Amino acid sequence: GDSLELVRTFTAADVAAFSNLSLDQNPLHSDAAVAETADFQAPIVHGMLVASMFSAIIGNAFPGSVYLSQSLKFAAPVAVGATVTARVEVLKIKRLQGHDVASWRTVCTSSDGVVCIEGQALCKLPEDLLASTS
């Protein structure tokens, strides 16, 4: 299926802002000593912050789309300062309760090709999207 990508480097400032917004103050995300006690080499980015790249891709590409669900498997940590590529790939579009609904394969990979997050998303597409592309 068709796919879209977004590349982002996560900074300590990004992690601090997400910690404040989400109220997730786990020191794994900011304190190297604590991260090391959990077998990480450095502080790690919140998994949900990395996963938010999926909704950014879909929402920006298809304004007016509505996220219905997302499954996530956190396969590898993302270190603060790392660059990640998020990719969404259309698996299927079907008509459901009068709306076009797309299922997507969602994957984030690190710059060295390691899969960090994988899953699937389900989104209701804007009403006029498929009509305007037919």
Side-chain angles (χ1 to χ4, degrees), residues 2-4 54-67 88-90 93 102 104 123-130 132-133:
D2 292 335
S3 64
L4 297 164
F54 302 135
S55 65
I57 295 170
I58 295 168
N60 291 333
F62 306 103
S65 59
V66 177
Y67 231 78
V88 299
E89 177 185 357
V90 175
I93 298 175
W104 308 83
C123 299
K124 183 173 73 168
L125 299 174
E127 288 301 319
D128 59 348
L129 179 67
L130 294 184
S132 65
T133 60

Side-chain angles (χ1 to χ4, degrees), residues 17-119:
F18 188 83
S19 288
N20 289 332
L21 288 171
S22 68
L23 304 179
D24 180 349
Q25 303 292 324
N26 188 331
L28 284 176
H29 305 297
S30 59
D31 185 324
V34 173
E36 286 178 22
T37 66
D39 295 326
F40 298 117
Q41 295 179 356
I44 59 171
V45 181
H46 298 77
M48 296 306 288
L49 175 55
V50 179
S52 72
M53 293 173 71
F54 302 135
S55 65
I57 295 170
I58 295 168
N60 291 333
F62 306 103
S65 59
V66 177
Y67 231 78
L68 300 175
S69 67
Q70 172 77 58
S71 66
L72 298 169
K73 177 185 176 191
F74 298 100
V78 173
V80 174
T83 299
V84 173
T85 300
R87 183 172 194 259
V88 299
E89 177 185 357
V90 175
L91 297 174
K92 185 186 337 181
I93 298 175
K94 64 181 177 181
R95 196 84 178 148
L96 189 65
Q97 297 178 346
H99 300 284
D100 292 315
V101 176
S103 58
W104 308 83
R105 179 174 184 256
T106 56
V107 179
C108 281
T109 54
S110 62
S111 57
D112 56 0
V114 173
V115 173
C116 307
I117 300 175
E118 57 188 340

